[in-house]
Amino acid sequence: MSGQPIFILKDGSKRTRGRDAQGNNIMAAKAVAEAVRTTLGPKGMDKMLVDSMGDVTITNDGATILKEMDIEHPAAKMIVEVSKTQDEEVGDGTTSAAVVAGELLKKAEDLIDMDIHPTVIASGYRLAASKAVELVQGLAKDVDETNVDLLTSIASTAITGKGAESAKPLLAKISVEAVTSVVDDVNGKKQVDREQINVVKKVGGRIEDSELIKGMIIDKERVHSNMPELVENAKILLLNEAIELKDTEIDAEISITSPDQLQLFLDQEEAMIKATVDKVINSGATVVFVQKGVDDMAQHFLAKAGIFVVRRVKKSDMEKLARATGAALISNFDEISADDLGYAALVEEKKVSGDAMIFVTGCENPKSVSVLLRGGTDHVIDSIETALEDSLRVVGVVIEDKKLVAGGGSPEVELSLRLNEYAATLEGREQLAVRAYAEALEIIPKTLAENAGLDPIDMLMDLRSSHEKGLKTAGLDVFKGEVVDMWKEFVVEPLRVKTQVINAATESAVMILRIDDVIATTKSQGGAPGMDMSGMDPGMGMDMP
């Protein structure tokens, strides 16, 4: 056995090491970043994604694009995770995160070619990221959450370039009103639960027909046509239980030997349902939402009593109704009391594009609200929903953090200049990594300029010049093609968007840089797993003495 290689990997396994592994990983990550780069900014282009079922998605949202792309390369998947994390944490800046991560790796590749060890580059990148977060926090300005105009500007910036330009003022206004309605004060801190904003999409009508409902929209209809279509000053009961006879938990048979006994059985069944319905009627409720089913006989009794009933309501909608109306969720008919009822000024069934929907409006303190989105086609509405989702999240982040920075590539240029100054204070090769990091951040203003059809070098020179003169909020106005003060233009973003981009992009770039060996294993074709040594690349073996 002396000198004979012993193979420890499965047949079909592939192994890439050293510079090849690093090169392949960086190339894959750069390809993903490049795929979304043209979507960045107000003048970014859209992508059409067609899945295996033929369903089409048209979007320029980085997270959506990367989620829908069927990416296989493991390093490329890490860039997808960056964008996904950015979306979950902040809701905006998903494209920026992926583009910055790709550019950091591109700059790192140049340093590796200069024989600088990846560990040194990783160390320098971490130093740069830490300094960048400190610097960008120094650029942030406080915001008053009661300043509706400023919050609307933030929402508009998030919506810009998302395919909903025509309705930007309306969507920004809806976003601010919706978020400010669901703000909670927890231990002296403001918190926004995005789950309490219910977005309902309905094809038909114009985008401008979209509206905010200070209450709930339930995509259901009342259970019986004899029930009232409209109830004013509604007393609302929320039931987790079905209004019908329960099946026994054990198998049982009833032996009936005469028609009289059958009638008695039916009468008893009716009496039991009537008794359950009477408990609902006696509670004083005029509107009942039921999470489960409602028996036909119960529907009849409830309709005769003039009670508005909706069944099969989703659990999430029941919880939002409880929050919006102040009603308690009831699981036991014997425990229903007047104190458990909620209130709404109006509960109404309306037709929207031919479909019946329930509108619960005029709640005293609606801690759950709904947004009804309208549009000509499914693709249009999906595009609007993506834009609205980003603006809702961004406004919520600002209310929670109360910190803003200028947009239009302004923070990136300022950070690039200051990081270059910081690099000069360092000793050793980390200095080169920090300089590379500073250059990588300039990819954001460069890309904004490119996507707007402007000369990126000229624009970058103008930006640097303005910042060197002390105008820290100078950014690129892609519509005028010139450098302007972003604060005066009300182009602003939450601080958390920038800090999350820096942290997430740096961490993923460092993780990919530190990989020098990729082992991809596939299932062996026949034989015991790991035992078939035929056809194995000798490079995958280990020489055992």
Side-chain angles (χ1 to χ4, degrees):
M1 293 291 289
S2 178
Q4 183 175 343
I6 305 294
F7 299 109
I8 59 170
L9 298 179
K10 288 182 181 181
D11 187 14
S13 297
K14 290 184 180 178
R15 184 176 186 180
T16 316
R17 296 192 262 189
R19 284 285 181 91
D20 288 342
Q22 287 163 345
N24 289 344
N25 287 340
I26 290 171
M27 193 191 309
K30 284 196 305 184
V32 172
E34 202 62 36
V36 294
R37 193 171 159 224
T38 56
T39 68
L40 186 70
K43 292 201 170 184
M45 304 298 283
D46 291 354
K47 304 286 182 190
M48 178 185 282
L49 306 163
V50 186
D51 66 13
S52 56
M53 301 294 290
D55 292 333
V56 176
T57 303
I58 300 171
T59 182
N60 70 356
D61 180 64
T64 307
I65 294 166
L66 295 178
K67 187 169 63 179
E68 295 291 333
M69 285 169 68
D70 194 8
I71 291 171
E72 192 168 321
H73 197 284
K77 284 180 179 177
M78 291 184 190
I79 302 297
V80 176
E81 287 298 314
V82 171
S83 192
K84 185 179 173 184
T85 305
Q86 182 78 19
D87 192 40
E88 289 170 355
E89 286 293 316
V90 195
D92 197 18
T94 52
T95 305
S96 297
V99 169
V100 171
E103 190 67 11
L104 286 173
L105 288 167
K106 182 179 177 183
K107 297 294 179 187
E109 193 173 30
D110 296 338
L111 294 176
I112 290 171
D113 289 341
M114 293 164 59
D115 285 333
I116 295 173
H117 197 276
T119 306
V120 176
I121 301 170
S123 175
Y125 274 9
R126 287 200 183 101
L127 284 172
S130 178
K131 187 66 176 176
V133 169
E134 180 189 319
L135 288 167
V136 80
Q137 286 172 342
L139 296 173
K141 296 187 181 181
D142 293 331
V143 58
D144 182 0
E145 74 218 38
T146 59
N147 189 338
V148 174
D149 290 339
L150 193 53
L151 292 177
T152 306
S153 297
I154 295 156
S156 296
T157 303
I159 293 167
T160 302
K162 292 282 195 326
E165 292 285 334
S166 59
K168 186 163 72 172
L170 173 65
L171 292 177
K173 182 170 176 281
I174 287 173
S175 298
V176 173
E177 285 185 20
V179 172
T180 50
S181 297
V182 300
V183 175
D184 277 333
D185 203 327
V186 181
N187 298 326
K189 286 188 176 182
K190 301 290 184 185
Q191 285 191 0
V192 177
D193 184 359
R194 165 63 190 85
E195 294 300 314
Q196 300 307 328
I197 301 172
N198 186 34
V199 178
V200 179
K201 300 182 289 184
K202 216 63 180 168
V203 177
R206 303 175 306 150
I207 299 173
E208 287 76 13
D209 296 332
S210 301
E211 59 180 322
L212 174 70
I213 306 296
K214 290 288 185 77
M216 284 293 297
I217 303 173
I218 309 294
D219 198 359
K220 296 281 180 182
E221 58 186 334
R222 65 198 197 284
V223 297
H224 200 286
S225 57
N226 288 343
M227 290 175 178
E229 288 186 13
L230 180 150
V231 178
E232 294 180 340
N233 297 319
K235 293 178 180 178
I236 298 171
L237 175 64
L238 303 180
L239 286 173
N240 281 338
E241 281 293 304
I243 308 180
E244 56 191 13
L245 294 178
K246 289 184 180 178
D247 292 331
T248 56
E249 292 183 6
I250 56 171
D251 290 335
E253 288 185 7
I254 297 174
S255 179
I256 293 174
T257 57
S258 69
D260 292 344
Q261 286 179 324
L262 177 60
Q263 190 59 48
L264 281 170
F265 173 75
L266 294 173
D267 290 344
Q268 181 62 30
E269 197 174 56
E270 184 178 323
M272 290 170 71
I273 292 173
K274 182 75 168 68
T276 303
V277 170
D278 285 343
K279 290 174 185 175
V280 174
I281 295 170
N282 294 336
S283 70
T286 54
V287 175
V288 181
F289 290 95
V290 186
Q291 191 175 327
K292 298 177 182 176
V294 180
D295 187 88
D296 288 348
M297 186 65 70
Q299 291 178 27
H300 166 72
F301 290 133
L302 289 164
K304 283 191 71 176
I307 295 176
F308 185 110
V309 182
V310 184
R311 65 177 169 182
R312 307 283 180 204
V313 180
K314 290 188 294 187
K315 184 182 178 183
S316 58
D317 284 345
M318 292 290 281
E319 289 168 354
K320 288 172 187 170
L321 277 168
R323 208 171 139 87
T325 64
L329 288 163
I330 303 297
S331 299
N332 189 332
F333 288 100
D334 295 326
E335 294 180 0
I336 300 173
S337 70
D339 294 336
D340 297 323
L341 303 182
Y343 172 82
L346 184 66
V347 177
E348 182 181 11
E349 180 182 291
K350 290 199 286 191
K351 293 279 186 183
V352 180
S353 297
D355 296 327
M357 300 179 84
I358 309 295
F359 288 73
V360 182
T361 56
C363 306
E364 287 181 354
N365 185 25
K367 283 296 182 181
S368 271
V369 296
S370 295
V371 179
L372 178 62
L373 288 183
R374 307 297 304 280
T377 68
D378 284 323
H379 294 140
V380 170
I381 290 185
D382 288 342
S383 178
I384 297 166
E385 185 189 24
T386 302
L388 180 72
E389 195 71 41
D390 285 357
S391 65
L392 289 171
R393 296 287 304 281
V394 163
V395 173
V397 165
V398 169
I399 288 174
E400 288 177 355
D401 294 351
K402 300 181 182 176
K403 293 283 186 183
L404 282 180
V405 292
S410 168
E412 287 81 6
V413 175
E414 182 67 21
L415 289 178
S416 177
L417 292 171
R418 302 306 151 236
L419 284 175
N420 271 318
E421 291 174 2
Y422 171 64
T425 67
L426 298 173
E427 296 179 2
R429 296 189 174 194
E430 279 91 352
Q431 183 182 126
L432 295 172
V434 174
R435 287 193 187 282
Y437 195 103
E439 288 175 24
L441 289 176
E442 290 181 344
I443 190 65
I444 298 296
K446 271 185 191 173
T447 304
L448 288 173
E450 282 177 23
N451 290 350
L454 305 170
D455 187 303
I457 296 172
D458 289 347
M459 291 296 103
L460 194 55
M461 293 303 106
D462 289 348
L463 280 167
R464 281 180 183 165
S465 175
S466 296
H467 280 261
E468 288 289 15
K469 288 173 185 173
L471 185 55
K472 295 183 178 182
T473 54
L476 183 61
D477 185 331
V478 295
F479 299 102
K480 296 177 184 173
E482 58 189 44
V483 174
V484 298
D485 187 342
M486 287 289 135
W487 275 106
K488 289 180 181 174
E489 297 292 320
F490 291 108
V491 178
V492 284
E493 297 179 86
L495 170 64
R496 203 195 298 179
V497 169
K498 296 301 177 191
T499 54
Q500 182 64 31
V501 165
I502 292 167
N503 290 329
T506 306
E507 285 167 10
S508 64
V510 166
M511 185 178 287
I512 291 170
L513 275 177
R514 290 178 60 85
I515 298 167
D516 74 339
D517 204 340
V518 178
I519 303 168
T521 309
T522 56
K523 289 184 179 178
S524 300
Q525 300 297 316
M531 297 300 291
D532 185 357
M533 298 180 187
S534 61
M536 185 70 81
D537 181 354
M540 295 180 199
M542 293 177 65
D543 284 330
M544 305 290 285

